[in-house]
Amino acid sequence: MKFGKEYASQMVPEWQEAYMNYDSLKTILKDIQRMKQRSRQNGGLTRAMTLYRAFSGLVQGQEKTPISPSKKDIESQYILVNSVSKNGSESYETTFLKVAEEGGECEQEYFRRLDDEFNKVDNFLNILAFSKIMKKYDKITSRRASTSYMRMVDNSYLSISDEVTKLMERVEDTFIKHFSNSNRRKGMNNLRPKTKKERHRISFSLGLFVGCSAALILALILIIHARGLLDKRGKTQYMENMFPLYSLFAFVVLHMLMYAANICFWRQYRVNYPFIFGFKQGTELGYREVLLVSFCLAALALTSVLSNLDMEMNPKTKEYEALTELLPLGLVLLVIIVLICPFNIIYRSSRFFFLASLFHCICAPLYKVALRDFFLADQLTSQVQAIRSLEFYICYYGWGDYKQRQNTCKSSGVYNTFYFIVAVIPYWSRFLQCLRRLCEEKDPMQGYNGLKYLATIIAITTRTAYSLYMGFSWKIISGIFSAIATIYGTYWDLVVDWGLLQRQSKNRWLRDKLLISSKSVYFAAIVLNVLLRFAWLQTVLNIQFSFLHRQTLITIVASLEIIRRGIWNFFRLENEHLNNVGKYRAFKSVPLPFTYCEEDEDHNE
């Protein structure tokens, strides 16, 4: 691993500003390197540099008298490092002695920035980083400035003082005595940063299920085309009955894929998501583990779809209609059994973590709201169609429709009533969480946030009424409330949750602190969020496409909302990590492993 990546991986995320900005210094060195290359291509030194050397007496080849060792040492230097006093505190300034040479201004800027970094981290020093960056400078410029600069670093207070060493030893002894039962090996294992071991079996299994999923998708397309299933009379019946059952798995898999992408980017940009969510140390899932579970579920669902089609088309098994229809129900029951399995298999700690947060969301406002709880509730607001699919499961199998392969659910008043209720459950849970936090924290922003979810509940209710009963009046009402809820929600996403659109920011219309260097990414995310927020227009305007079945169009719109939520997740947690906009939790301290004293094998649950 290159030093820059290793250095970044060892940073304490909450203290990133206290570390040397190694990448910015490397960028300056690359500029210096390009200047040196251009200089060599142009045939040597410029006239200005020649005059400078001639008049400054630095051309040693013209010296006729021997130079004393002290004088020679001074003239061979390229920098002078001085200690100065500013505002009552000691700092260091480096004078670059070759400013007149070509590219000298860039090198002078490098040392100015290097001094800024050193003075910034003088109380939080990483000597190895300064040694590495100065070696790169010497290699690029063919100078020997690192000796002089590192002499200053080595003579700084932190390097020569033994106070830090004594404090470290005292902390280690105290921790080992009180939290590790005087077991030094166990205590030091807890205090040292841990790197999760990358397991080859996860990579192998992930590749296996990705390949299986791709092969099954291809097989499904070929079977549909070869047997002309889209042209058969049973197409409408299949789309009304079976498609809503299997689309549930598509929604779940898509959401998990977006979450895996979030984890990948959070790690890349050093967002401390395990600490923010409150995962037990060492048990949080990486993006590979989430992808493994996602593609495993996808492969099972696709296998079930192909088995269902094969049994339905095969004359020998076509008479077993009821058994054929039970395949998706069996898969749902299998997922539920795995989710609640008490044995230490299939990421038990993560499963129980999810179930605990889900229980808190369902029981809101009875439990104190943690960030992981309201974050999960926000995810559920983007899975309304999946929750409606679960309602369809209960109706289709509970009322026996699967035996006759018919769908009488929508003709039932009870089903239509719950069709309203299940759609607003996630938003109602989120509304109650806001009320709980308003009462506890006395923060009016929580009240405004609750009004946002209340407006969304009204909008969803009116849109559902329009989709069931049609009518011009329902269309107008649903359009008005949907517009209000969308504008309100879009403003909250961009300004409050993401902390963007700040006019006075040094990054205009964004915010002062950005983890992604390319500002266009933020503007693209803003545009995408606005466009995907208005996906509800399809329901209000009753937009239909002749080549798409109504259930397919509903699935596409629901998938767009899941994608929007996945984009929202990254910037929401980035803003929480940087600025604590939600005023829920500060991240100025690092969680010590006082309650994490289990053995190593328990960390990989």
Side-chain angles (χ1 to χ4, degrees), residues 470-568:
M470 295 299 175
F472 183 76
S473 58
W474 279 117
K475 183 176 184 177
I476 296 298
I477 295 172
S478 63
I480 293 173
F481 282 105
S482 295
I484 294 173
T486 301
I487 294 172
Y488 198 166
T490 302
Y491 170 83
W492 199 272
D493 285 346
L494 304 181
V495 178
V496 181
D497 288 340
W498 292 1
L500 303 178
L501 300 183
Q502 298 180 13
R503 291 189 59 185
Q504 305 303 322
S505 170
K506 64 181 181 181
N507 301 305
R508 190 166 178 80
W509 295 113
L510 298 177
R511 54 174 130 82
D512 291 339
K513 297 181 179 180
L514 302 174
L515 290 184
I516 303 177
S517 58
S518 177
K519 298 177 184 178
S520 59
V521 173
Y522 293 91
F523 290 111
I526 291 173
V527 173
L528 273 176
N529 185 274
V530 173
L531 292 177
L532 295 177
R533 272 281 187 180
F534 280 89
W536 56 265
L537 282 173
Q538 180 272 333
T539 305
V540 176
L541 300 179
N542 196 24
I543 300 174
Q544 300 293 334
F545 299 94
S546 58
F547 57 91
L548 288 178
H549 190 273
R550 180 175 175 273
Q551 288 293 339
T552 305
L553 191 59
I554 291 174
T555 302
I556 292 174
V557 174
S559 299
L560 291 177
E561 169 57 22
I562 294 173
I563 293 172
R564 186 197 70 82
R565 179 61 62 182
I567 298 172
W568 179 90

Side-chain angles (χ1 to χ4, degrees), residues 147-205:
T147 304
S148 300
Y149 201 87
M150 291 308 297
R151 187 182 301 122
M152 177 273 295
V153 173
D154 293 335
N155 292 332
S156 63
Y157 173 77
L158 195 62
S159 297
I160 63 177
S161 174
D162 60 352
E163 291 184 16
V164 174
T165 304
K166 291 180 178 179
L167 285 173
M168 290 175 61
E169 292 176 352
R170 287 176 60 188
V171 169
E172 290 173 359
D173 293 339
T174 302
F175 180 83
I176 291 168
K177 178 181 178 180
H178 295 284
F179 298 100
S180 301
N181 296 323
S182 299
N183 187 329
R184 183 171 184 80
R185 180 180 179 182
K186 184 176 181 180
M188 294 306 295
N189 284 337
N190 283 328
L191 285 174
R192 292 191 186 102
K194 294 181 178 65
T195 302
K196 293 186 67 175
K197 295 180 180 179
E198 300 292 345
R199 302 185 182 276
H200 295 297
R201 67 170 179 263
I202 294 178
S203 300
F204 174 80
S205 302

Side-chain angles (χ1 to χ4, degrees), residues 2 15 60 133 203 245 268 345 453 470 539 545 553 559 591:
K2 291 185 177 180
W15 295 346
Q60 297 184 12
I133 201 68
S203 300
L245 298 177
Q268 180 179 349
I345 57 173
Y453 290 105
M470 295 299 175
T539 305
F545 299 94
L553 191 59
S559 299

Side-chain angles (χ1 to χ4, degrees), residues 10 43 100 136 171 178 182 215 276 317 332-333 337 345 384 389 417 447 459 465 472 502 507 538 593:
Q10 294 180 1
K136 286 182 178 293
V171 169
H178 295 284
S182 299
I276 295 175
T317 57
V332 168
L333 293 177
I337 291 172
I345 57 173
V384 169
S389 295
T417 301
F472 183 76
Q502 298 180 13
N507 301 305
Q538 180 272 333

Side-chain angles (χ1 to χ4, degrees), residues 33-45 102:
Q33 187 176 29
R34 284 192 291 268
M35 289 183 180
K36 296 292 181 182
Q37 291 173 349
R38 284 199 300 267
S39 177
R40 285 192 292 267
Q41 292 172 357
N42 291 334
L45 303 175
E102 183 177 0

